Amino acid sequence: MEYGRRRQLLRARGRNVAWVPPLLLLVGIVLLDLNTTERFRIITWIVLVPGTAAAICGVWTTAVFALLAVVTYVVVDSAWPGQYQAGLGDFVLVALAGTLAVVACAVRLRKERQTLHIQDIAETTRRTVLRPLPPRWAGLEHAGVYLAADVEARVGGDFYDIQPGLHGTRLFVGDVQGKGLGAVETAAALLGTFREAGYHEKDLATVADRLETRMLRHRRHTTALGRDDGDRFATAVLIGFPEDSPETIEVVNFGHEAPLAVGPRGVRELPSGDGLPLGFGELGGGLPPVHRVPFAADETLLLVTDGVTEARDRRGGFYPLADELGPAVAAGAGPADPWLLVRTIRDGVLRHCDGRLVDDTTVFAVRRIRQAAGEDDQDDEGGRLRF
């Protein structure tokens, strides 16, 4: 996207009107100076005009206002009798202020370009780590939102992905400890392993083992590079949708927030984090077990990171997730729409903390696509899921 189309400028009916405030200020100073007595000469205030333009206009517009301020100063000051004129000293002040305003405007625009470039890099990184997913993918319908605590960076350590494979569809949601590029790099390493293992491996326990191994390898590598990542870990939930059991799912929880099954019969909590986070498996004597739990066709799976459950209001109160879900789930209304759930939780969290996120926040909802009789799943090909 071109820089000129992305700048935050004052616009009215699609047209740039950033030049209006400095022009009104110029006219106001002139009129006030000409309609007051010699005891209230304010023509020198015209130095504010190029300064205002520098804050909201482009370089050439600022230069025009700087020149216009100098010319206007000379004309208006000359209209007064000699003994009341501001004189050469103020003229130099106005000219110098205009010059500095042009320089300041150029510096501001350069910083804005650099900021937008950094944001473009962050957005590209985010889309690489959290690859875009079709709304209906691998037999699942889903919706997700990711809110970075650092609004400018727009990228952090939360992650999620869906991977269709040879043995069913797998879902991976998690949160890397820490912030910054180190957390992003760790999330990318885990997602890369998940996409390969989730596609090829038959047993979900094997996928979990591959993820644990990848986390340990990544930590050893970053430590060897001299970085302080030796104790980094990640909480995560690994979920499998077995092809041979459409009424159940498999869950491996690495110390993450418990997934919620939301349906017409209410909200129920699936197995909580009975295992240690990824990277700490050796401390707990092994990996967390694989739980096979019922999951009805009319239920929607809701997963959130601790940015949701630990969001606080001004009084320090945590976000009441269970209370927010109640109005969104009407008894007997059928399966909860993933986007409705995600939107409800997102808006509720932002409202609860007044938009001041202290941690990266991810909300992800998914449900099986229910096919009509005789209708083939568009994601199936010869009994195997495409990718």
Side-chain angles (χ1 to χ4, degrees), residues 1-282:
M1 183 179 295
E2 295 181 2
Y3 171 76
R5 295 189 303 176
R6 296 185 57 178
R7 279 191 356 215
Q8 298 296 321
L9 296 175
L10 297 174
R11 307 189 73 83
R13 296 183 179 181
R15 295 185 177 183
N16 178 18
V17 293
W19 52 271
V20 173
L23 179 61
L24 293 178
L25 180 62
L26 175 67
V27 173
I29 292 174
V30 170
L31 292 178
L32 191 59
D33 186 80
L34 293 177
N35 289 277
T36 53
T37 66
E38 66 279 359
R39 296 183 179 181
F40 193 68
R41 293 295 315 280
I42 66 166
I43 189 59
T44 308
W45 290 15
I46 208 168
V47 297
L48 298 175
V49 173
T52 302
I56 59 177
C57 299
V59 174
W60 287 108
T61 304
T62 302
V64 169
F65 275 109
L67 180 61
L68 187 60
V70 171
V71 173
T72 303
Y73 171 84
V74 172
V75 172
V76 174
D77 196 47
S78 300
W80 286 83
Q83 65 271 28
Y84 300 127
Q85 292 180 2
L88 180 62
D90 287 349
F91 170 81
V92 174
L93 175 64
V94 173
L96 181 61
T99 303
L100 293 178
V102 174
V103 174
C105 181
V107 173
R108 173 182 67 85
L109 293 179
R110 181 179 179 181
K111 292 296 184 181
E112 287 183 358
R113 293 188 186 97
Q114 291 176 344
T115 300
L116 289 175
H117 181 63
I118 292 173
Q119 289 179 346
D120 284 339
I121 294 175
E123 181 68 15
T124 301
T125 302
R126 186 189 69 83
R127 291 178 65 86
T128 300
V129 176
L130 300 179
R131 61 179 180 178
L133 297 172
R136 296 167 67 90
W137 174 241
L140 302 176
E141 181 181 5
H142 71 89
V145 62
Y146 170 76
L147 303 174
D150 187 345
V151 179
E152 295 297 326
R154 293 186 291 181
V155 66
D158 285 9
F159 58 86
Y160 58 84
D161 199 11
I162 296 174
Q163 180 59 56
L166 301 176
H167 307 285
T169 300
R170 273 71 185 262
L171 169 65
F172 192 37
V173 177
D175 178 10
V176 176
Q177 172 265 338
K179 300 181 183 299
L181 293 179
V184 176
E185 183 182 5
T186 303
L190 291 173
L191 284 172
T193 298
F194 165 71
R195 289 161 186 166
E196 288 300 313
Y199 177 82
H200 290 287
E201 301 296 345
K202 180 178 181 180
D203 297 324
L204 198 65
T206 305
V207 180
D209 182 67
R210 292 273 300 274
L211 290 169
E212 175 71 14
T213 301
R214 185 67 181 94
M215 187 70 201
L216 295 175
R217 289 175 53 206
H218 180 73
R219 290 201 318 203
R220 286 195 294 267
H221 177 258
T222 54
T223 300
L225 293 175
R227 290 161 45 184
D228 188 19
D229 287 352
D231 59 350
R232 193 181 294 277
F233 61 88
T235 62
V237 179
L238 178 62
I239 296 176
F241 294 84
E243 292 181 320
D244 58 353
S245 182
E247 294 296 323
T248 63
I249 58 174
E250 296 176 329
V251 180
V252 181
N253 196 323
F254 296 93
H256 196 72
E257 302 289 336
L260 300 176
V262 183
R265 292 169 296 281
V267 181
R268 60 188 179 90
E269 185 176 293
L270 299 186
S272 59
D274 49 5
L276 294 177
L278 285 166
F280 291 159
E282 296 177 353

